[in-house]
Amino acid sequence: MAAILELSGVSAHYGRIQALRDVSLTVGEGEIVTIIGANGAGKSTTLMTICGIVKASAGDVRYLGRSITEVRADRLPSMGLCQVPEGRRIFPRLSVQENLDMGAFFRRDADGIEADLGLVYRLFPILFERRKQHGGTLSGGEQQMLAIARAFMSRPKVLLLDEPSLGLSPMISQHIFRIIKNINEERGMTILLVEQNANIALKLADRAYVMETGSVVMEDSAANLRENADIKKAYLGQ
Ligand SMILES: Nc1ncnc2c1ncn2[C@@H]1O[C@H](COP(=O)(O)OP(=O)(O)O)[C@@H](O)[C@H]1O
Ligand SMILES: [Mg+2]
């Protein structure tokens, strides 16, 4: 499988604090890859380093075969690399529909936008119902759906998701994860998913990386990691 995204030997710092240490990982085209790990392990920093929000202090990030460490963060969405950050940043004073339009704002293919909007509303019927409501009036789960739907509207090649289940009920989380799987299967969209909820992430993903204190300590197929005794004990509560 061709790597669409590849980190090699990436380190990152916040001032003098080293948050990432020699992180290497690859994401193949069409895969769902997850990064699991405890709070503070460096998962979010890994995504932010991919997006250029945090600068790598060593190593390289390659996307579609080219180094993107020098590409400005705000250029990446139009190149097909899109992040849904932790804590769902939607526009609270814009309507649901306007939020979705913002996701597609740099696209020029009106027909494609229309078709994707139809798909989004089929996947998230609740967003269709609430399309004229301000984003800020939605429930937490609905705002997370809107954040994912808005990212989808930019038609990314790779979607980076940071803790989509954070603060949501198990039922809403299940619903959101089913849709992520659906988007991956039907659109062949590649997904890099960061999750503290390892149970759910390892069921969804093809492959997984385990991070501890800024380093990747394990990588394997998600199926193997689910059966791994250390993983069960440390992350799956078994
Ligand atoms: N803005 C920041 N300033 C200083 N340290 C930070 C900042 N953000 C994260 N860190 C530190 O970097 C490490 C990794 O954090 P993070 O990537 O957010 O972990 P995770 O997403 O796995 O919970 C932690 O030790 C955290 O305290
Ligand atoms: Mg985080």
Side-chain angles (χ1 to χ4, degrees):
M1 191 180 294
I4 190 163
L5 185 66
E6 191 167 13
L7 277 68
S8 43
V10 170
S11 293
H13 292 75
Y14 295 105
R16 291 168 62 185
I17 300 166
Q18 184 159 11
L20 297 183
R21 205 176 294 273
D22 198 21
V23 169
S24 297
L25 62 86
T26 61
V27 181
E29 192 159 7
E31 273 190 310
I32 300 182
V33 172
T34 186
I35 304 173
I36 61 172
N39 197 17
K43 305 181 300 297
S44 294
T45 304
T46 301
L47 291 195
M48 289 192 283
T49 306
I50 293 169
C51 292
I53 298 164
V54 172
K55 283 277 161 229
S57 45
D60 197 17
V61 181
R62 298 180 74 79
Y63 169 63
L64 294 171
R66 86 176 247 226
S67 176
I68 55 166
T69 47
E70 299 305 321
V71 177
R72 270 174 37 199
D74 61 356
R75 290 273 307 124
L76 290 170
S78 63
M79 293 166 62
L81 191 62
C82 185
Q83 186 189 194
V84 179
E86 197 176 323
R88 37 186 175 271
R89 315 230 178 94
I90 55 138
F91 300 107
R93 285 160 191 277
L94 296 185
S95 71
V96 167
Q97 176 74 54
E98 288 163 340
N99 267 277
L100 294 173
D101 292 343
M102 290 298 285
F105 88 104
F106 56 74
R107 287 175 64 178
R108 294 289 171 267
D109 56 324
D111 292 350
I113 293 172
E114 200 58 38
D116 285 348
L117 192 62
L119 179 68
V120 157
Y121 280 147
R122 266 201 308 286
L123 290 173
F124 299 102
I126 192 74
L127 295 183
F128 181 72
E129 253 172 62
R130 304 215 189 293
R131 65 192 179 283
K132 292 185 180 140
Q133 247 171 265
H134 281 180
T137 66
L138 302 182
S139 73
E142 290 161 0
Q143 289 190 27
Q144 185 60 274
M145 292 179 204
L146 180 56
I148 294 170
R150 189 182 60 190
F152 177 82
M153 287 305 295
S154 72
R155 204 184 265 188
K157 288 190 175 67
V158 180
L159 185 59
L160 309 174
L161 294 168
D162 196 350
E163 307 246 14
S165 76
L166 195 72
L168 303 181
S169 74
M171 217 179 79
I172 304 267
S173 303
Q174 288 289 353
H175 179 63
I176 285 177
F177 283 109
R178 259 200 308 277
I179 286 169
I180 291 169
K181 186 84 181 169
N182 202 308
I183 288 174
N184 167 258
E185 283 175 350
E186 286 194 12
R187 286 303 168 102
M189 197 176 282
T190 305
I191 290 166
L192 179 57
L193 168 73
V194 158
E195 261 298 330
Q196 263 190 71
N197 186 336
N199 268 307
I200 217 168
L202 290 180
K203 280 184 195 144
L204 190 76
D206 301 304
R207 289 188 310 112
Y209 293 83
V210 183
M211 287 190 78
E212 277 172 19
T213 55
S215 301
V216 171
V217 294
M218 218 186 277
E219 64 170 290
D220 207 334
S221 70
N224 283 349
L225 286 179
R226 276 207 308 271
E227 299 306 321
N228 180 296
D230 294 334
I231 296 293
K232 280 184 179 175
K233 194 155 159 268
Y235 298 102
L236 302 179
Q238 294 173 13

